[in-house]
Amino acid sequence: MELNSILAELTILFRKELARDNVELKMEMNAKDVDGWDSLNHMALIAATEKHFGIKFTFKEIMKMKNVEDMCCAIQSKLIK
Amino acid sequence: MVFNSFEFLVFFTIVFFIYYTIKPAYRWSVIILSSSVFLVYHVPSFMLVLAPVILFNYITGLVIESSDSERRKKTIFIASILVNISILVFFKYINFILENTGFLVHQINPELNFKLISIILPLGVSFYIFQAIGYNIDIYWETSKAERHLGYFAVYMMFFPKLISGPIERTTTFLPQIQNPVYFDSKKITAGLQLILWGLFKKLVIADRIEPSTSLIFNNVNDYHGLSLFIGVGLYVVQIYCDFSGYTDIALGLARTLGYNLTDNFNRPFSATSISDFWRRWHISLSSWVTDYIYKPVSANKRHWGKYGTIYALILTFVTLGFWHGASWNFVIYGFLHSLAVTYEFLTTKLRKHLCQMIPRLLYNSISRILTISYLGFTMLFFRYATLTEALTAIKNMVNNFKLSIHGLGLGLGVKDVIIVVLGIIIVEIVEKAKAKKGDFESVLVQKPLWVRYSIYYFFIFSIMLFGSFGVSEFIYFKF
């Protein structure tokens, strides 16, 4: 799956989870750049992402995610496996 | 040797001159030597705790990184965390454990009594152990590299401006600074001296002027009621902020004169509109530490529990944060009360957002600030008192005999003290607001004309000389 396609699906998922229609994810963005995305709902977003793509991140993979691009790359590598 | 003492002035002046006399590539060695002298000056045996901790974590960091097998990596990592926690537990919590276990055993068999151990809490142990734990976690998570130079690692652990009360520094921000040679930079030195001056103002003019009053009120819990206690709590909140943020500014200023940038611990905490917001502004190096190394892993581990996973992680994180401050049930309660507030805020995010849209923003924020500060003040009773009985008596006395009269308050503050404290608080608010807007203290002054800058310097120097409370009182956070 292409990174851009993952980004598009992730954007739709984040809009639903954060209950905000204006969420427009970009690769370089992190939690600080997205309204409503904070440390309190970060893991809920991770869990929703895992469920949506049918994958499971390891603990280290989650800790290494610093921005949306890291998240998309981690999803892509899981889907390839 | 506290920062606001004559001994420290002499010590730092000598260190400063030696530091900039030797070659930049070897300046780290002056830091190690001076930090050792600084610690040994307090109690020589404290070095017998710190030195092995440095060596142990230096080795574990290298072993964790170089291990080929994931199993070995994990074993060393867990061992390193357990050893660090054991050191902290032994020095800080052993008597608390013995006391509570003894109490339980005594209920079963009244003839059995546990003797407490006579032990001195090594200065800064809570801070440098947390820093060591963070270092090993970063390496294990592969978010940071192990430091190969023992000297650099020792500086990271024992740098004297932050040794006793933090800030708790992180591998990603502090180690890279140590790895590069420090060159003489007059701008950095000026910025450092400005911060030291500002820190001294907060400590000597405000915190130490309030201290006799709060000691009087809180040490005589049965004698104070109603409004006196309310004012006492308010004064204590101001005192602890000016004391700890004053200490932090001095620590940051000292580090800056030696060419290093430490983490700022405060960002106008009393402008917080919620307890969650408060913890993003108060003791930032500790709150971000517990967020990264306790909240995140626990909430990640329990992410499939949904909201319950988040609540579980929040309670565990805040109780740990509270208990980190000291071996007392009151600190556990303090942390737990904060976890309750943050959990409430987490569960009512949408509701509060709707409410915010329904009433004017200014009114909503003002009410939120008042509620946040009031709740903070309430929790501070558990922070200030050593025992639960005293804290509960104070709460009871606050409600009983409540009279809205300023007569007979017995706060131990004269008219001059009140004027100085009130004006001091106004100055703190103006300066900290400007600091938050510009990003740091240096930027507030740098664009001002020379005469304005010097007027400000003289104002603060003379304010400290004329209105400061001298007599070398320790910083509150030294005991943690």
Side-chain angles (χ1 to χ4, degrees):
Chain A
M1 198 172 182
E2 291 291 318
L3 279 179
N4 283 336
S5 312
I6 295 171
L7 181 69
E9 281 195 38
L10 211 55
T11 304
I12 296 166
L13 186 70
F14 270 46
R15 281 178 189 160
K16 189 183 152 203
E17 289 296 319
L18 298 173
R20 280 173 167 84
D21 294 334
N22 58 351
V23 170
E24 202 60 62
L25 292 182
K26 286 180 183 145
M27 289 297 190
E28 67 280 7
M29 281 180 162
N30 58 33
K32 281 179 190 164
D33 307 313
V34 181
D35 193 23
W37 183 7
D38 57 28
S39 60
L40 291 177
N41 56 25
H42 179 69
M43 289 307 160
L45 288 168
I46 296 281
T49 306
E50 287 178 322
K51 196 177 170 188
H52 178 83
F53 289 97
I55 55 173
K56 192 161 168 50
F57 296 120
T58 65
F59 181 69
K60 274 189 187 176
E61 283 167 343
I62 296 172
M63 289 303 128
K64 279 185 179 176
M65 290 174 190
K66 299 292 174 209
N67 56 22
V68 174
E69 188 174 10
D70 290 342
M71 212 166 170
C72 291
C73 291
I75 296 166
Q76 192 184 44
S77 68
K78 288 275 163 190
L79 291 174
I80 291 168
K81 283 175 191 171
Chain B
M1 190 160 41
V2 290
F3 291 165
N4 50 328
S5 67
F6 181 71
E7 295 104 296
F8 186 80
L9 181 68
V10 174
F11 164 80
F12 188 71
T13 310
I14 295 168
V15 170
F16 184 84
F17 279 105
I18 298 172
Y19 185 74
Y20 283 113
T21 307
I22 70 160
K23 283 183 178 176
Y26 300 106
R27 283 177 183 159
W28 57 269
S29 58
V30 179
I31 299 290
I32 294 175
L33 190 68
S34 53
S35 300
S36 306
V37 172
F38 180 72
L39 193 64
V40 167
Y41 184 87
H42 285 96
V43 178
S45 59
F46 287 169
M47 202 61 203
L48 297 174
V49 182
L50 179 60
V53 166
I54 292 173
L55 199 61
F56 173 76
N57 286 286
Y58 170 73
I59 294 167
T60 55
L62 290 174
V63 176
I64 292 167
E65 191 179 71
S66 61
S67 295
D68 293 331
S69 88
E70 188 57 36
R71 199 175 161 186
R72 184 175 145 86
K73 212 182 255 272
K74 197 173 180 177
T75 309
I76 303 292
F77 167 67
I78 292 170
S80 75
I81 302 298
L82 286 177
V83 169
N84 280 308
I85 291 174
S86 303
I87 293 167
L88 191 59
V89 168
F90 177 74
F91 285 107
K92 196 167 178 176
Y93 301 101
I94 192 72
N95 279 332
F96 177 80
I97 295 167
L98 285 173
E99 207 178 334
N100 285 281
T101 317
F103 175 78
L104 289 175
V105 170
H106 193 74
Q107 304 303 309
I108 302 161
N109 185 352
E111 285 178 13
L112 276 176
N113 282 309
F114 278 31
K115 277 190 179 172
L116 300 184
I117 299 170
S118 176
I119 204 164
I120 310 171
L121 181 70
L123 273 178
V125 69
S126 316
F127 294 88
Y128 64 70
I129 288 289
F130 261 38
Q131 209 171 282
I133 292 172
Y135 172 75
N136 283 299
I137 294 176
D138 283 347
I139 295 164
Y140 181 67
W141 287 352
E142 294 166 21
T143 51
S144 187
K145 294 270 179 201
E147 177 54 62
R148 278 167 167 67
H149 193 296
L150 179 58
Y152 293 166
F153 183 70
V155 173
Y156 166 75
M157 289 290 289
M158 68 191 300
F159 186 43
F160 70 86
K162 59 135 189 98
L163 180 61
I164 295 179
S165 294
I168 302 165
E169 286 302 324
R170 306 291 278 271
T171 47
T172 45
T173 52
F174 194 40
L175 268 174
Q177 294 184 58
I178 303 165
Q179 288 154 353
N180 293 310
V182 173
Y183 296 97
F184 186 88
D185 183 342
S186 60
K187 279 184 186 170
K188 282 185 182 176
I189 293 163
T190 309
L193 292 173
Q194 288 167 351
L195 261 177
I196 294 169
L197 185 65
W198 178 231
L200 285 171
F201 176 82
K202 284 193 272 189
K203 167 71 176 161
L204 298 174
V205 177
I206 308 173
D208 284 0
R209 187 164 287 275
I210 295 174
E211 197 277 330
S213 172
T214 52
S215 288
L216 183 75
I217 298 166
F218 290 105
N219 292 343
N220 299 286
V221 65
N222 293 312
D223 302 337
Y224 285 88
H225 297 86
L227 193 59
S228 303
L229 268 173
F230 273 95
I231 296 173
V233 170
L235 284 173
Y236 183 64
V237 171
V238 173
Q239 183 200 344
I240 198 164
Y241 168 68
C242 288
D243 190 283
F244 192 26
S245 73
Y247 158 82
T248 303
D249 285 334
I250 298 169
L252 263 66
L254 292 169
R256 195 114 177 89
T257 60
L258 299 173
Y260 298 104
N261 287 325
L262 298 181
T263 313
D264 197 356
N265 261 335
F266 296 92
N267 179 17
R268 299 183 67 230
F270 304 127
S271 67
T273 52
S274 64
I275 293 294
S276 322
D277 188 20
F278 172 78
W279 281 108
R280 284 189 285 269
R281 297 166 177 275
W282 177 274
H283 204 172
I284 297 166
S285 68
L286 174 67
S287 57
S288 63
W289 194 99
V290 293
T291 303
D292 288 346
Y293 301 126
I294 300 176
Y295 173 76
K296 280 184 186 172
V298 175
S299 62
N301 190 257
K302 304 292 177 209
R303 63 189 181 277
H304 299 295
W305 287 11
K307 281 181 179 174
Y308 298 107
T310 306
I311 295 167
Y312 174 74
L314 281 174
I315 293 172
L316 199 67
T317 304
F318 276 95
V319 168
T320 310
L321 182 147
F323 199 44
W324 172 89
H325 288 87
S328 149
W329 283 110
N330 273 16
F331 286 122
V332 175
I333 295 167
Y334 171 76
F336 182 68
L337 288 172
H338 279 267
S339 78
L340 287 184
V342 177
T343 301
Y344 162 79
E345 286 162 7
F346 166 63
L347 293 174
T348 58
T349 309
K350 282 180 188 168
L351 183 79
R352 287 183 299 116
K353 199 183 163 199
H354 281 303
L355 200 65
C356 180
Q357 286 161 348
M358 282 162 67
I359 59 174
R361 192 63 177 252
L362 187 69
L363 180 67
Y364 179 84
N365 284 344
S366 303
I367 296 169
S368 301
R369 281 193 187 107
I370 292 166
L371 289 174
T372 303
I373 293 173
S374 305
Y375 189 76
L376 173 75
F378 166 68
T379 62
M380 276 293 176
L381 284 169
F382 294 92
F383 188 92
R384 177 60 176 80
Y385 282 113
T387 66
L388 184 61
T389 317
E390 286 175 309
L392 294 176
T393 307
I395 292 167
K396 199 176 80 185
N397 287 359
M398 280 176 107
V399 190
N400 289 345
N401 288 336
F402 188 91
K403 285 175 199 152
L404 212 57
S405 164
I406 57 163
H407 296 291
L409 287 172
L411 298 174
L413 286 175
V415 177
K416 186 187 163 192
D417 296 318
V418 174
I419 293 169
I420 292 169
V421 168
V422 170
L423 287 177
I425 292 168
I426 293 168
I427 292 166
V428 168
E429 175 57 18
I430 292 168
V431 174
E432 293 295 339
K433 200 170 182 176
K435 194 176 140 190
K437 198 176 169 186
K438 296 275 183 183
D440 56 40
F441 195 76
E442 191 183 349
S443 312
V444 176
L445 291 170
V446 79
Q447 287 162 342
K448 299 268 185 293
L450 205 61
W451 71 269
V452 175
R453 259 185 281 164
Y454 273 86
S455 302
I456 293 171
Y457 298 156
Y458 282 123
F459 171 77
F460 284 117
I461 290 168
F462 282 113
S463 296
I464 292 168
M465 285 165 67
L466 293 170
F467 308 119
S469 294
F470 296 93
V472 191
S473 72
E474 280 207 342
F475 290 89
I476 295 172
Y477 265 68
F478 276 19
K479 67 181 175 188
F480 303 137

